[in-house]
Amino acid sequence: MSKTRVAVNGYGVIGKRVADAVLLQPDMELAGVADIITDWRIRSAAGRFPLFASTAEARDAMGQAGLTISGDLDDLVGQADVIVDATPKHVAAGNLPRYRDAGVKVVLQGGESHDTTGHSFVAQANYDSAVGRDMTRVVSCNTTSIVRVLGALQDAGLLARARGVLIRRATDPWESHLGGIMNTMVPEPKIPSHQGPDARTVLPDLDVVTIAAKGAHTQTHNHYWTLQLTRAASREEVLAALRAAPRIAFIRMADGLVALNSTIELMKDLGRPRGDMWEVAVWEELVTVEGDEAYLTYQVYNEAIVVPETIDAIRALTGSAPDAATSIRITDATLGIRQDFLAEHLPVLPGGQP
């Protein structure tokens, strides 16, 4: 069976993680990565896989910087079955004509609008509708988490409507030296914030309103949800619905995971590449159910959560995996995604309980 040849345009926060994830997939191979930069970010990739220049100007600059360049973006696209465009917001839309002319499948990221591709993607929710398409858009980190968590409750027949507050990180950690928010919090200028309407591009029937603000931190987002259930339910039913869904993991304050930074430190201690967390981390003790209302809070690692979705999107477009369950199983096994971060690391006590 031939492998899907994947190209990555944009070797930034998302692109470099997608490239590494492609290398782990048994049914994919990385054709190369393209960018316009010449600094430490692209130099760290030199020798690991072929480098290409996204523009003619970049090719000259990269060559002058001593980088070995295998060609330009058109050369890279010509060697690929699928291109993942992880360039900055709105750049990818401008690249689409080149991709269409080359006849290559395209996966865009959440910085582009839904109208750009006509399809938005989260594997557990709408994989089937992406099979065989020419292009799709993996929704943003926050929207991905919303679809995973609220979609799990919707699938269980428990969710009537959802109202959420999102505390967003101010900027990506590596860019924190460039400026940002200090000692304050900045509300988004309108209600609902864009994440709720974006989630409906994947789950059209989702009754959701989001309110968001940027906080003075750089690591991960934090969501707080008030949920109206379809009926009175038990806490165990809500937990079971979340456990039945992929890529949702539980964290516990009883384990000392009491804040955003403690979870990120755990990811590093578990040996995650770059300290990445691909799962939505739900605080188990804080899942509260009172009659037909539920409340919960969770953590979203914005730099990594969309990576497994991107891998699944590649399989959907090419039809190399027939359904979501098959693709998710392969992706999760290669990345090491799980539902309980500490289960394999806790001693087993008498009675078999950790």
Side-chain angles (χ1 to χ4, degrees), residues 245-312:
R247 298 170 182 165
I248 296 174
F250 288 95
I251 54 176
R252 291 173 286 275
M253 290 188 172
D255 293 325
L257 299 170
V258 297
L260 304 182
N261 58 300
S262 54
T263 308
I264 295 304
E265 191 69 12
L266 173 63
M267 295 302 105
K268 296 175 182 177
D269 288 346
L270 293 178
R272 290 289 182 91
R274 302 184 179 91
D276 285 349
M277 182 171 70
W278 305 287
E279 306 87 345
V280 178
V282 177
W283 267 283
E284 186 172 6
E285 298 105 320
L286 297 182
V287 176
T288 301
V289 181
E290 296 180 355
D292 62 354
E293 290 187 321
Y295 311 90
L296 58 82
T297 182
Y298 60 74
Q299 184 173 354
V300 181
Y301 191 55
N302 50 288
E303 297 177 272
I305 187 175
V306 300
V307 171
E309 308 299 332
T310 300
I311 297 299
D312 292 333

Side-chain angles (χ1 to χ4, degrees), residues 120 137 139-147 150 162-166 168 188 190-212 223 225 298:
S120 296
R137 160 187 173 261
V139 295
S140 72
C141 51
N142 281 314
T143 304
T144 296
S145 75
I146 292 170
V147 173
L150 301 189
R163 304 295 182 257
V165 175
L166 288 61
R168 303 176 58 213
E188 289 207 3
K190 66 178 182 177
I191 298 175
S193 60
H194 72 275
Q195 293 88 1
D198 198 27
R200 284 197 292 270
T201 66
V202 180
L203 297 173
D205 297 330
L206 192 64
D207 186 342
V208 60
V209 175
T210 51
I211 303 171
H223 289 213
W225 287 95
Y298 60 74

